[in-house]
Amino acid sequence: MLKKSLFLDLLIVIVCIAACKKTGTPAPAKFTGCRIATITEVPADTTTIPRTTYRFYYNNDGTVQHIYAYIPLDPSSSYYSYYQSQSHYTYFAYSGNIIQVRMVYGTQTTPSLIDTITVDDQKRVVSISSGESYYYSGPLILENYWYDSTGDMYLHTTSREGMAGQSMDSAYWQGGDITAYLSYNIGGLVGNKSYSYYDTLYNTGNITANLADFENYGRGIFSSKHLVKRTFDSFTDSTKTYSYLLDASGKITNISETLDGGGVNTTQITYNCE
């Protein structure tokens, strides 16, 4: 009986080992969809402000691993030596609800700037602490973001270490779109921005983010549901109008921003789809 029992015990162990190897931890699902590959910004006046191309690289889980911002310029330009040194890498490290963002210029090995982003359980940005770096000796800047029950960001505050008071921005939404953005400092209202929209949905693939936020933080902080048609900024008394080119699936591939003076800033977007 002892031999038979021992044989059965060994058989159970072998079966268990085989089953464990077979089932194991499932491999992560392969990414499918479209992600932004590059964003190229071409300003209306490239003689004073160079064009910049942002190239995006991703982790297996779809988060941004790093961004390379490339700033080419004609060597004959007086801005060449300065702007060539401004090409840089931005690296992202994720740990729980904390994201560390490190910006490295040229051939430097030490980050020029480090941002610390905190997100909530819905992956929304709730704070950004910036100004920590080896080279930067200015005050630490802390930005906080508040959201209402519908998920819209309604308040953004900025404070600086060692300085009294803070600036504050209030956002107003309708149907998923920001209709007004009011900016205040300790002296009161300093300006507001109003928006109008097309009916077309805003679409930049799997990560639908405001492009400026995506270039800086690899994610959206807030973004309207539809394409912006026109903005008016009371602080600068300026109006900008927008037009778009979309691909067959509705993703934005080109944005034209027409300024009051007639100049046009252009943003070009390419995608990698799997």
Side-chain angles (χ1 to χ4, degrees):
M1 292 296 293
L2 182 60
K3 291 183 178 180
K4 184 175 182 182
S5 176
L6 180 60
F7 173 77
L8 289 175
D9 289 343
L10 289 173
L11 183 61
I12 290 171
V13 170
I14 293 169
V15 170
C16 179
I17 292 173
C20 291
K21 287 184 176 180
K22 186 175 181 180
T23 56
T25 301
K30 180 177 172 58
F31 170 85
T32 57
C34 294
R35 296 180 288 200
I36 294 176
T38 64
I39 298 174
T40 301
E41 297 178 344
V42 184
D45 183 5
T46 56
T47 61
T48 57
I49 304 174
R51 61 186 289 158
T52 301
T53 296
Y54 298 88
R55 298 174 181 151
F56 296 85
Y57 302 85
Y58 297 86
N59 296 308
N60 290 334
D61 62 1
T63 56
V64 176
Q65 181 190 82
H66 70 274
I67 302 168
Y68 178 54
Y70 175 59
I71 307 175
L73 200 65
D74 183 347
S76 64
S77 169
S78 59
Y79 293 87
Y80 177 74
S81 60
Y82 172 75
Y83 280 113
Q84 279 297 106
S85 67
Q86 298 305 297
S87 293
H88 59 270
Y89 288 91
T90 304
Y91 298 96
F92 298 82
Y94 302 85
S95 179
N97 66 333
I98 300 297
I99 305 168
Q100 186 186 75
V101 185
R102 297 178 297 116
M103 185 177 292
V104 180
Y105 283 88
T107 58
Q108 294 175 355
T109 56
T110 303
S112 293
L113 188 65
I114 300 174
D115 291 342
T116 301
I117 301 173
T118 303
V119 299
D120 62 15
D121 292 340
Q122 285 75 48
K123 302 302 181 183
R124 299 175 302 195
V125 174
V126 294
S127 70
I128 300 175
S129 173
S130 59
E132 313 163 54
S133 74
Y134 179 80
Y135 299 99
Y136 181 72
S137 58
L140 186 69
I141 300 171
L142 178 63
E143 299 179 74
N144 288 301
Y145 299 83
W146 283 266
Y147 299 85
D148 61 23
S149 58
T150 65
D152 294 330
M153 191 280 291
Y154 70 90
L155 183 64
H156 164 228
T157 61
T158 303
S159 58
R160 288 169 173 79
E161 186 180 35
M163 300 177 66
Q166 64 182 3
S167 61
M168 180 178 72
D169 303 316
S170 296
Y172 297 86
W173 299 73
Q174 182 176 346
D177 298 319
I178 297 175
T179 57
Y181 198 77
L182 280 63
S183 298
Y184 302 83
N185 59 22
I186 56 176
L189 181 67
V190 295
N192 71 83
K193 204 170 186 179
S194 59
Y195 301 76
S196 62
Y197 295 88
Y198 294 101
D199 292 333
T200 306
L201 293 175
Y202 182 91
N203 179 3
T204 55
N206 286 48
I207 303 178
T208 301
N210 176 287
L211 296 183
D213 290 341
F214 198 59
E215 293 164 356
N216 289 314
Y217 306 117
R219 63 186 46 240
I221 296 179
F222 62 95
S223 182
S224 290
K225 185 176 180 180
H226 298 89
L227 296 178
V228 175
K229 180 188 295 184
R230 184 176 293 106
T231 64
F232 172 73
D233 190 334
S234 69
F235 185 72
T236 58
D237 193 28
S238 61
T239 301
K240 296 177 182 178
T241 57
Y242 298 84
S243 60
Y244 304 83
L245 294 177
L246 310 176
D247 65 13
S249 64
K251 298 189 304 302
I252 305 167
T253 58
N254 187 283
I255 304 172
S256 295
E257 177 188 65
T258 303
L259 313 177
D260 276 344
V264 180
N265 297 324
T266 303
T267 301
Q268 302 157 355
I269 308 172
T270 66
Y271 301 87
N272 282 331
C273 298
E274 299 178 27

